[in-house]
Amino acid sequence: MHRCEIITVGTELLLGEILNTNLQFLSQRLAETGIAVERHCTVGDNPARLREAFLSALDRGDIVLLTGGLGPTADDITKEVVCEALELPLVLDELQLSRIEDFFRTRGLAMSESNRKQALVPEGCQVLYNGNGTAPGCWIAKGDKRVALLPGPPGELRPMFQEQLKPLLMPFSSGVILSHYLRTIGIGESRMADLAQDYLDLANPTIAPYAKQGEAFLRVCAAAATEEEAEALCKPIIKKLKEILGFYAYSVDKELEAAVIDCLVEAKKTVAIAESCTGGGIAAKLTQAPGASAVFGWGVVSYSNDCKRALLDVPAYVLERYGAVSAECAFSMAEGIKKRSGADIGLAVTGIAGPGSDGTAKPVGLIYLAATDGETTLEERIETGRGDRGYNRDYATKQALNLLRKLLAKRTEAN
Amino acid sequence: MHRCEIITVGTELLLGEILNTNLQFLSQRLAETGIAVERHCTVGDNPARLREAFLSALDRGDIVLLTGGLGPTADDITKEVVCEALELPLVLDELQLSRIEDFFRTRGLAMSESNRKQALVPEGCQVLYNGNGTAPGCWIAKGDKRVALLPGPPGELRPMFQEQLKPLLMPFSSGVILSHYLRTIGIGESRMADLAQDYLDLANPTIAPYAKQGEAFLRVCAAAATEEEAEALCKPIIKKLKEILGFYAYSVDKELEAAVIDCLVEAKKTVAIAESCTGGGIAAKLTQAPGASAVFGWGVVSYSNDCKRALLDVPAYVLERYGAVSAECAFSMAEGIKKRSGADIGLAVTGIAGPGSDGTAKPVGLIYLAATDGETTLEERIETGRGDRGYNRDYATKQALNLLRKLLAKRTEAN
């Protein structure tokens, strides 16, 4: 099996200013590709220490991946240090230069002279095109060793790895490791694990529970010579786990919003959304999925009572008697947006996201959800007991999307 | 200044199964404590590799922190490997043993024989009590070098660090390191760095440029004996950098949405938002900041033409002649939401987020922004040239918030 080491470069990482998500991303992808990662190392923007770390990694491993330090500024040194250590000259790549020039032109930004530096590449390397920034990546062969340079920003690194570097790594693979995630909502991690108990000791695929804010996943992970064989190992187990977890399991691998859109498309229903405490977050999450426009056309962010009255026809007496954070208001918002829009389903959320209270005696973290299709109406009252604005908004958003799933499945009983 | 290296131990980290948040936590705390972290290293549960990584870290640095591998199972090897490398015997700590026994007794769990192993500690070390698990930590002095062993689970590591290890590290502190971020938008990282050129070689504070999707930051980082002195070093430099960067600099440390809310509050203006391609993302971002309700009450997510006509009064001829993705439609949406809401400013975005086209000849990534206060109207046309839906939505959201800043500053010329 080929041995790989990953070096991430940046003083900001040593200062803890950013979370090093690239390490996890690259490690997962390499594991899937069947390449063993034996070490992670992070050094700052310091040529001597980077050189030492690079040469010792190259000494131990067959493949060294470096990320970061490919930017245009003086403290971006990765390319220069690696080339010097490998005794490779840097040469101007005209194609990269014109791509960088285009990048600035289409954005109407002035190009700095230092950006020209980014068009320099190690002689004889394979250039990895950066569709999302100005720093190209590189794939360098030196004897039987291989070195890859990748940009630090995850939005540039991830597509470059997937589209360009992965195919170059495949000849070094010794089989595949394949993971699927069976995603659940509405059940805790430990209860999910209890239900799946009989499967947690399997050897191949392995089954492991993970908790994620308001959701819980089971990872099903198989090792095999080919992707097809690994899929064949996972498939029957996932089928059984889905049966055990029932309605809690909303998808395999798919995000909640995409799973909800699938449910709407299948039921041939449209939804309109009225939201208060989530501030547009439900609509924003639903429309993250490309197919959203087929099932969603109308959203109102009624952050004020004026807006609730004017755009959602919430009656004045509801606001006066029960207040904006009430089951009555949530229902009235759902009904209002449904009628205005002509959508099949109206979905509404109102609540107190925090950190401060809304000036009433109601607790921070109190959230009301409502969904109605005209025939059936589902309502939920949540009290998170937490003052964390981000958590409360995120939790309300996910529970609202799950309420839509429940309505579509006509699950009128509590779970 | 004392040099520190951090080694995290665990095969699950090399497989990318968990995100290594301990590295960021420890790095931040050490930076605040005035101890320079020079390297991060992660190795798997492999004695030979851990030994090599530990000895080379100890050779370079004054302090080595290791996390993980203190558990009861056979693949937990950190304590054993470190003791062997330091030639220290492991001895049974009766107090730890009784604490571990208590831990299981109070939880009504059976104690495994392997948990006894966790009561073994390096001879002569200072034991760090674990209030949240069974693995004690250790602080080992060996000549002028120091070694700390910490458990891997963040819920055990964090309190142990804060309450017990930090006081032991303080004698090695050389003062505090304090960072501020001067945040800019509308200028690339390299042009920002060019403008700040004269400051990039400063020794204390150091100034370093960072790019972040659609934004660019300058980190101003000072080392001093006290926080007050570090602040005093940063202050005049930040003032000068703000002058140089002018309107591009929108805040020190504050998120864009919070900075925009500050501008609105200061100008005593309210905003209403109509959005299409961002799908609620602008309202969701603005309302992430707790003070949002003072300046924002109305939002419409007009994902369909029906909704644009009904809730925003976009004239049918605009949609027919120019289409939903047009400067005319963006303006009409901004004007419509302003009139309906009675807000001082109407802000609107329409565009093609991708990845697919909207069925017209218009390119994916084409975005129109408009903001109007009745007197002044600002419009912007953006072509990102990218098919990445997430990127396009995020970019449009940030540019829309920046357009609001421009309108409030009455910046009618192009930047």
Side-chain angles (χ1 to χ4, degrees):
Chain A
M1 198 164 187
H2 289 90
R3 293 161 160 213
C4 175
E5 298 203 8
I6 303 173
I7 300 176
T8 53
V9 185
T11 300
E12 69 278 17
L13 293 164
L14 294 182
L15 288 169
E17 285 169 358
I18 56 176
L19 185 60
N20 198 337
T21 56
N22 286 342
L23 278 178
Q24 186 183 28
F25 173 82
L26 291 172
S27 301
Q28 280 178 332
R29 295 299 86 73
L30 287 159
E32 290 164 8
T33 312
I35 292 174
V37 176
E38 295 210 334
R39 195 180 296 229
H40 296 161
C41 176
T42 302
V43 289
D45 306 317
N46 176 301
R49 281 179 220 137
L50 174 56
R51 186 188 161 90
E52 190 277 319
F54 171 64
L55 285 174
S56 63
L58 196 69
D59 186 41
R60 288 184 298 257
D62 306 306
I63 301 169
V64 180
L65 301 193
L66 297 103
T67 79
L70 301 184
T73 61
D75 64 358
D76 291 304
I77 54 163
T78 304
K79 203 163 53 183
E80 290 74 10
V81 167
V82 165
C83 281
E84 206 209 302
L86 294 175
E87 296 172 359
L88 280 176
L90 279 164
V91 294
L92 184 75
D93 187 302
E94 294 289 346
L95 181 61
Q96 288 307 315
L97 184 61
S98 70
R99 276 174 171 163
I100 294 168
E101 286 165 349
D102 283 351
F103 182 91
F104 283 93
R105 198 177 306 119
T106 57
R107 279 159 184 79
L109 295 169
M111 181 174 152
S112 146
E113 190 52 33
S114 58
N115 284 110
R116 285 183 68 91
K117 171 183 135 177
Q118 299 189 289
L120 294 172
V121 300
E123 193 175 63
C125 82
Q126 178 154 354
V127 176
L128 309 176
Y129 170 58
N130 187 340
N132 305 297
T134 54
C138 309
W139 171 250
I140 304 165
K142 182 83 178 180
D144 55 356
K145 308 272 184 175
R146 296 291 181 277
V147 176
L149 306 183
L150 295 167
E156 302 178 23
L157 175 140
R158 293 179 182 213
M160 188 184 285
F161 182 92
Q162 293 290 58
E163 293 156 22
Q164 298 175 73
L165 188 56
K166 203 174 159 185
L168 294 168
L169 289 168
M170 285 315 289
F172 301 89
S173 160
S174 57
V176 299
I177 297 176
L178 182 135
S179 289
H180 286 297
Y181 287 84
L182 183 59
R183 302 171 65 124
T184 74
I185 185 166
I187 183 174
E189 183 193 6
S190 48
R191 212 176 135 215
M192 175 189 73
D194 284 351
L195 290 177
Q197 186 66 50
D198 293 347
Y199 294 84
L200 297 184
D201 291 331
L202 288 185
N204 193 16
T206 58
I207 316 292
Y210 289 93
K212 200 188 154 189
Q213 205 165 297
E215 302 179 59
F217 303 160
L218 280 175
R219 191 192 64 204
V220 179
C221 182
T226 67
E227 201 174 314
E228 290 67 33
E229 287 174 48
E231 287 286 8
L233 287 167
C234 290
K235 205 177 165 187
I237 305 296
I238 289 174
K239 185 162 176 264
K240 281 181 191 153
L241 290 169
K242 275 168 98 171
E243 283 167 17
I244 291 169
L245 293 166
F247 185 74
Y248 295 121
Y250 67 78
S251 85
V252 178
D253 300 325
K254 248 185 206 185
E255 299 284 340
L256 180 59
E257 61 271 18
V260 167
I261 288 176
D262 286 353
C263 294
L264 286 163
V265 168
E266 201 181 316
K268 295 195 172 75
K269 302 279 186 197
T270 58
V271 65
I273 302 171
E275 40 188 324
S276 210
C277 66
T278 45
I282 303 174
K285 193 165 172 67
L286 193 70
T287 58
Q288 270 172 20
S293 60
V295 297
F296 170 75
W298 295 55
V300 166
V301 184
S302 56
Y303 226 56
S304 67
N305 284 352
D306 277 359
C307 182
K308 290 184 185 72
R309 278 189 295 261
L311 296 186
L312 300 173
D313 310 304
V314 175
Y317 80 87
V318 167
L319 294 168
E320 280 156 27
R321 183 178 301 174
Y322 306 104
V325 180
S326 63
E328 292 79 4
C329 185
F331 170 69
S332 190
M333 287 166 67
E335 210 186 34
I337 192 74
K338 175 174 160 28
K339 281 192 185 147
R340 282 280 184 126
S341 64
D344 301 311
I345 298 171
L347 175 67
V349 179
T350 180
I352 308 170
S357 92
D358 69 344
T360 69
K362 292 170 184 169
V364 174
L366 175 65
I367 295 153
Y368 291 95
L369 310 175
T372 181
D373 63 5
E375 277 176 24
T376 308
T377 296
L378 297 184
E379 295 182 346
E380 272 179 24
R381 180 186 188 281
I382 297 166
E383 234 187 288
T384 66
R386 292 175 62 165
D388 180 333
R389 185 178 182 84
Y391 176 89
N392 288 334
R393 283 161 50 102
D394 185 66
Y395 192 81
T397 298
K398 287 177 179 163
Q399 296 305 319
L401 291 176
N402 200 37
L403 191 68
L404 202 49
R405 278 180 77 226
K406 291 180 189 168
L407 185 71
L408 288 164
K410 292 279 177 191
R411 292 180 71 85
T412 48
E413 75 281 17
N415 260 316
Chain B
M1 196 164 190
H2 288 89
R3 292 160 161 211
C4 175
E5 300 203 6
I6 303 172
I7 300 175
T8 52
V9 185
T11 301
E12 69 279 17
L13 293 164
L14 295 181
L15 288 170
E17 282 171 2
I18 56 173
L19 185 59
N20 197 335
T21 56
N22 286 343
L23 278 178
Q24 185 183 28
F25 172 81
L26 292 172
S27 301
Q28 280 177 334
R29 296 297 85 74
L30 288 161
E32 290 164 8
T33 312
I35 293 173
V37 176
E38 294 209 335
R39 197 182 294 231
H40 296 160
C41 177
T42 302
V43 290
D45 305 318
N46 176 300
R49 280 180 220 137
L50 174 56
R51 184 188 162 89
E52 189 277 319
F54 171 64
L55 285 174
S56 62
L58 197 70
D59 186 43
R60 286 184 300 256
D62 306 305
I63 301 169
V64 180
L65 301 192
L66 297 101
T67 79
L70 302 183
T73 61
D75 62 359
D76 292 305
I77 53 164
T78 304
K79 204 163 50 182
E80 291 72 12
V81 167
V82 164
C83 281
E84 204 209 303
L86 294 176
E87 296 170 359
L88 281 176
L90 278 164
V91 295
L92 184 76
D93 186 299
E94 294 290 348
L95 181 61
Q96 288 308 314
L97 184 61
S98 71
R99 276 176 171 162
I100 293 168
E101 285 165 350
D102 282 350
F103 182 91
F104 283 94
R105 197 177 308 117
T106 58
R107 281 163 183 76
L109 295 168
M111 182 172 149
S112 141
E113 190 52 34
S114 58
N115 285 109
R116 285 183 67 89
K117 170 183 137 177
Q118 298 191 290
L120 295 172
V121 300
E123 193 176 62
C125 82
Q126 177 152 355
V127 176
L128 309 176
Y129 170 58
N130 188 342
N132 305 292
T134 54
C138 309
W139 172 250
I140 306 165
K142 182 83 180 179
D144 55 355
K145 308 271 184 177
R146 296 293 180 276
V147 176
L149 306 184
L150 296 167
E156 302 178 25
L157 174 138
R158 293 180 181 214
M160 188 184 287
F161 181 91
Q162 294 290 55
E163 294 155 22
Q164 299 176 75
L165 187 55
K166 204 174 158 184
L168 294 168
L169 288 168
M170 285 315 288
F172 300 89
S173 162
S174 55
V176 299
I177 298 177
L178 182 135
S179 289
H180 286 298
Y181 286 83
L182 183 60
R183 302 171 64 125
T184 74
I185 185 167
I187 184 174
E189 182 195 6
S190 47
R191 213 176 134 212
M192 175 189 72
D194 285 351
L195 290 177
Q197 185 68 48
D198 293 348
Y199 294 84
L200 297 184
D201 292 331
L202 288 185
N204 193 19
T206 57
I207 315 294
Y210 291 94
K212 199 188 155 191
Q213 207 164 295
E215 301 179 59
F217 302 163
L218 279 176
R219 189 191 67 208
V220 179
C221 182
T226 67
E227 200 174 316
E228 291 67 33
E229 287 174 48
E231 288 285 9
L233 286 168
C234 290
K235 206 176 165 188
I237 304 297
I238 289 174
K239 186 162 176 263
K240 281 181 192 154
L241 290 170
K242 274 168 104 171
E243 282 165 19
I244 290 169
L245 293 166
F247 185 74
Y248 295 121
Y250 67 78
S251 85
V252 178
D253 299 326
K254 246 185 206 184
E255 299 282 340
L256 180 59
E257 59 272 19
V260 167
I261 287 176
D262 287 352
C263 295
L264 286 162
V265 168
E266 201 181 316
K268 297 195 173 73
K269 302 281 187 196
T270 58
V271 65
I273 302 171
E275 40 188 323
S276 209
C277 66
T278 46
I282 303 174
K285 192 165 174 66
L286 193 70
T287 57
Q288 270 173 19
S293 60
V295 297
F296 170 75
W298 294 55
V300 166
V301 184
S302 56
Y303 227 56
S304 67
N305 284 353
D306 277 359
C307 183
K308 289 183 186 76
R309 277 189 297 261
L311 295 186
L312 301 172
D313 311 304
V314 174
Y317 80 87
V318 165
L319 294 168
E320 279 157 27
R321 185 178 300 176
Y322 306 105
V325 180
S326 63
E328 291 78 5
C329 186
F331 170 69
S332 189
M333 288 165 67
E335 210 185 35
I337 191 74
K338 175 175 161 28
K339 282 194 185 148
R340 282 280 183 125
S341 64
D344 301 311
I345 298 171
L347 175 67
V349 177
T350 179
I352 308 170
S357 92
D358 69 343
T360 69
K362 292 170 184 169
V364 173
L366 176 65
I367 295 154
Y368 290 95
L369 311 175
T372 183
D373 63 6
E375 278 175 23
T376 308
T377 297
L378 297 184
E379 297 184 345
E380 273 180 23
R381 179 186 190 280
I382 296 167
E383 232 187 290
T384 66
R386 291 174 61 165
D388 179 334
R389 185 178 181 87
Y391 176 90
N392 288 335
R393 283 161 50 103
D394 185 67
Y395 191 82
T397 297
K398 287 178 179 162
Q399 296 305 319
L401 291 176
N402 199 37
L403 191 68
L404 202 48
R405 279 180 76 228
K406 291 181 190 170
L407 185 71
L408 289 164
K410 292 279 177 191
R411 291 182 69 87
T412 47
E413 76 282 15
N415 257 318

